Amino acid sequence: MKPSSRWKKRPEHSTWGDFGPDDQLGRLNLLTAEKVLEGIREVQTGQTFCLSLPLDLPGGTGMNPRRPAPTLAATRRGEHANMTYPLSRDDARLTDIICDDTVTLALQYSTQWDSLAHMGQWFDVEGNGEPEMVFYNGYRAGSDIVGETDYRIGCGCAQGCHLGAKALGIENMAKHGLQGRAVMIDIKKHFGIGRFAFGYQHLAQILEADRIAIRQGDMVCFRTGMDDAIYQMAGKPDMDYLNSHFAGLDGSDPALRQWVEESGVVALLADNPAVEILPSRPLNDSFYPSHPLHDLCLFRLGVYLGELWHMSELADWLSVHQRHAFLLTAPPLRLPGAVGSPATPIATV
């Protein structure tokens, strides 16, 4: 652990400082060239699977009222829409027809990555008894991650500051690269599609039954079956059904939290909207995070979360062929300052 100018005290069960005082990658540091080669060595057939839902799914705002569905529009050519636009309008000698569009997009609407700037906590980084709003490795709200409102002091604006993540943004993931060995944990195959909190005892049962070895630097996928349900609902999600079915990781399970910490995994990926089951059980009787797995992964360990991934087609293929590991390639957008990103992951088997 290397000391940092941003904090004197780090949270328990964290990797703050382990990868350097100014680290912004967290466990992504463990996704090394050797881990890429490990992933490549899992490729036997060259067949690929797209692990992304269509970007307009789940549809509507029932799953998250703050994230509207994407809207496409044509760019403009003066007063005209630049879609199926014949350039002969401008010069009769030209034969080209142009299409060009733009999108308004909530970056975490569909298949997505959470960056380490997505969720922080109140924590006493100075050890003076005064909690502050901080993120992984002690990066601060208001200076390193800047919103429109500075809620620390009740100011109504950000005083002209550049908005977004000056540290821990999604561009750090993109620049490093997201490619390596990944493993599928098929919850649906072993436990069905009933709603329950998936803890370490369930994980251990699957690892033993399927003879799965998870190694440091791996990315771990969890298939619950929710992706198939969302796909079949075709943009009109039945939230009553989705909220009463399908597992989520139990972020309050001490044994599961210990496994995440000790396993050295880089990312936890699921086909549900949060990876963990919500609402969660409180970790204690006083102050606790609403999203305990997000707290452990994003805030403490620097482990990345991927949500609403399309796992089922790949999981079924792996089951038929009695395989579990594959090469995963899953870069986010290289969008400076963003705290999340759509993803179009590709699994190669």
Side-chain angles (χ1 to χ4, degrees):
M1 177 181 66
K2 295 183 179 180
S4 169
S5 61
R6 288 182 306 282
W7 52 269
K8 296 178 181 177
K9 173 184 172 184
R10 72 174 187 172
E12 294 182 346
H13 310 291
S14 77
T15 62
W16 291 22
D18 288 358
F19 303 110
D22 300 316
D23 174 58
Q24 298 186 42
L25 294 178
R27 284 268 183 91
L28 197 53
N29 285 283
L30 302 181
L31 195 56
T32 61
E34 177 53 37
K35 291 303 299 185
V36 177
L37 291 175
E38 280 189 33
I40 291 171
R41 287 193 286 268
E42 297 290 350
V43 177
Q44 299 178 18
T45 71
Q47 185 174 349
T48 59
F49 293 84
C50 176
L51 305 188
S52 172
L53 292 169
L55 199 51
D56 58 355
L57 294 183
T61 56
M63 191 164 284
N64 190 321
R66 293 166 294 280
R67 296 174 180 170
T71 55
L72 281 171
T75 59
R76 309 302 297 180
R77 185 176 289 268
E79 63 182 10
H80 301 292
N82 198 25
M83 182 65 66
T84 64
Y85 182 90
L87 291 185
S88 56
R89 285 181 57 96
D90 305 320
D91 186 333
R93 297 170 297 175
L94 300 178
T95 60
D96 311 89
I97 301 169
I98 294 296
C99 294
D100 193 39
D101 51 9
T102 185
V103 63
T104 302
L105 174 68
L107 294 176
Q108 292 169 276
Y109 182 76
S110 187
T111 302
Q112 66 187 258
W113 278 113
D114 290 347
S115 81
L116 301 185
H118 174 54
M119 187 167 285
Q121 295 289 332
W122 286 95
F123 184 75
D124 180 14
V125 289
E126 295 295 334
N128 59 7
E130 298 181 6
E132 301 183 45
M133 295 171 65
V134 293
F135 295 79
Y136 178 77
N137 213 8
Y139 287 98
R140 308 296 179 92
S143 55
D144 300 309
I145 294 88
V146 182
E148 294 180 12
T149 300
D150 191 339
Y151 291 100
R152 300 167 305 160
I153 59 177
C155 175
C157 68
Q159 301 177 341
C161 294
H162 171 69
L163 300 182
K166 298 180 181 180
L168 305 177
I170 204 77
E171 72 274 15
N172 295 291
M173 296 176 66
K175 184 177 179 181
H176 180 278
L178 266 295
Q179 187 175 50
R181 184 178 187 267
V183 173
M184 179 67 70
I185 305 297
D186 195 339
I187 298 175
K188 178 182 177 181
K189 181 178 75 171
H190 288 272
F191 296 104
I193 61 170
R195 178 177 171 82
F196 75 99
F198 181 89
Y200 179 74
Q201 64 172 342
H202 305 103
L203 174 62
Q205 183 175 329
I206 293 177
L207 294 179
E208 180 178 3
D210 289 348
R211 299 181 179 179
I212 298 173
I214 295 177
R215 308 167 187 164
Q216 178 176 288
D218 281 353
M219 295 173 278
V220 184
C221 299
F222 295 90
R223 185 265 192 113
T224 74
M226 185 182 284
D227 60 331
D228 264 350
I230 291 172
Y231 197 88
Q232 292 167 13
M233 290 172 184
K236 297 180 179 180
D238 181 343
M239 295 310 302
D240 288 338
Y241 180 85
L242 294 176
N243 288 334
S244 60
H245 294 77
F246 309 109
L249 272 62
D250 185 357
S252 301
D253 175 18
L256 184 64
R257 294 174 67 87
Q258 182 178 356
W259 173 80
V260 175
E261 180 181 353
E262 295 178 352
S263 63
V265 296
V266 167
L268 302 179
L269 317 164
D271 59 8
N272 62 27
V275 183
E276 61 184 312
I277 197 162
L278 298 173
S280 62
R281 294 181 291 113
L283 288 173
N284 53 53
D285 295 327
S286 53
F287 300 102
Y288 53 85
S290 63
H291 293 55
L293 192 69
H294 281 62
D295 163 67
L296 176 68
C297 291
L298 300 178
F299 175 65
R300 296 174 187 267
L301 296 177
V303 170
Y304 295 82
L305 298 177
E307 305 172 12
L308 290 170
W309 286 37
H310 186 36
M311 303 288 193
S312 287
E313 184 182 4
L314 170 64
D316 288 341
W317 187 94
L318 291 170
S319 180
V320 167
H321 293 83
Q322 297 184 330
R323 290 181 53 189
H324 311 286
F326 53 94
L327 172 66
L328 176 62
T329 305
L333 297 176
R334 192 173 181 178
L335 180 57
V339 302
S341 172
T344 306
I346 297 294
T348 308
V349 297

